[in-house]
């Protein structure tokens, strides 16, 4: 993994992109990774050429959430096309590590566990309450286990995923290309039985 090289990027000055930066220019993956390393809380970069392409050859989407980096990365195939700051579970309410297929999607959802708290662009990862969704994003772990995303990023991500899209939550550093080792773990079976139950 390219943890050392990517860790060095964490020292870059904060850029704070609030919109789909680079959307017209189509930056190199390394540029996206550099911008991602310097994101301020509640900011993101997005440069997915397939969103604007006519009749694209669609590559699969994979989302990787790095807990130590407090970042979510979106890959098409093995190439990074977007990234955002996130807020994951705080101590005692940790976000679980593993590979989770998206089990359910709802554009507007309210928490069943926490006072009907709004969870816009909810993408469920576990049936016991862990999901990706738009929410408060202070730049450090602060949720009850969910992965909170910047609102505009959550909306874009919602538009390109499907039930079954893999979300990898890792306690490792993440590089600019999808590391196949992240997929080759015992955790790759996490929630597969639950996903299969939806297809019955």
């Amino acid at each position: 993994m390219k943890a050392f090289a990517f860790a060095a990027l964490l020292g870059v000055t904060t850029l704070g992109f609030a919109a789909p930066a680079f959307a017209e220019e189509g930056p190199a993956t390394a540029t996206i990774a550099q911008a991602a390393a310097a994101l301020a809380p509640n900011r993101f970069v997005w440069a997915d050429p397939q969103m604007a392409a006519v009749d694209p050859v669609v590559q699969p989407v994979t989302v990787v959430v790095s807990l130590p980096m407090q970042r979510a990365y979106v890959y098409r195939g093995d190439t990074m096309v977007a990234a955002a700051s996130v807020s994951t579970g705080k101590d005692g309410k940790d976000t679980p590590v593993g590979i989770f297929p998206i089990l359910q999607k709802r554009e507007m959802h309210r928490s069943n566990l926490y006072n009907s708290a709004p969870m816009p662009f909810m993408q469920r990862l576990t049936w016991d309450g862990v999901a990706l969704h738009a929410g408060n994003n202070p730049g450090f772990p602060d949720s009850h286990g969910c992965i909170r995303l910047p609102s505009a990023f959550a909306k874009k991500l919602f538009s390109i995923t499907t039930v079954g899209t893999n979300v990898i939550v890792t306690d490792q550093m993440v590089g600019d290309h999808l590391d196949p080792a992240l997929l080759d773990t015992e955790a790759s079976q996490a929630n597969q039985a639950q996903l299969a139950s939806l297809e019955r």
Side-chain angles (χ1 to χ4, degrees), residues 101-120:
I102 293 171
L103 300 170
Q104 180 186 51
K105 295 177 55 157
R106 287 193 178 156
E107 193 168 329
M108 180 41 70
H109 180 74
R110 290 193 171 271
S111 173
N112 300 324
L113 300 174
Y114 299 105
N115 301 319
S116 293
M119 299 169 66

Side-chain angles (χ1 to χ4, degrees), residues 143-192:
S143 80
H144 289 97
C146 283
I147 300 160
R148 297 184 195 151
L149 308 169
S151 271
F153 180 88
K155 183 176 182 179
K156 284 179 170 289
L157 184 63
F158 191 90
S159 75
I160 66 167
T161 60
T162 61
V163 170
T165 295
N166 278 330
V167 177
I168 302 168
V169 181
T170 180
D171 55 9
Q172 299 177 32
M173 305 295 274
V174 174
D176 54 3
H177 286 83
L178 183 60
D179 185 345
L182 288 174
L183 296 165
D184 188 22
T185 67
E186 290 181 14
S188 66
Q189 298 306 310
N191 278 350
Q192 290 296 340

Side-chain angles (χ1 to χ4, degrees), residues 38-92:
L39 288 173
N42 209 37
R43 302 294 190 214
F44 69 95
V45 289
W46 193 283
D48 184 1
Q50 291 199 4
M51 290 189 78
V54 177
D55 296 325
V57 175
V58 179
Q59 292 181 300
V61 171
T62 303
V63 181
V64 179
V65 177
S66 171
L67 298 177
M69 299 171 83
Q70 289 293 284
R71 296 285 186 271
Y73 301 94
V74 181
Y75 298 85
R76 282 219 186 254
D78 69 349
T79 302
M80 185 187 297
V81 296
S85 66
V86 301
S87 182
T88 59
K90 57 189 173 186
D91 284 346

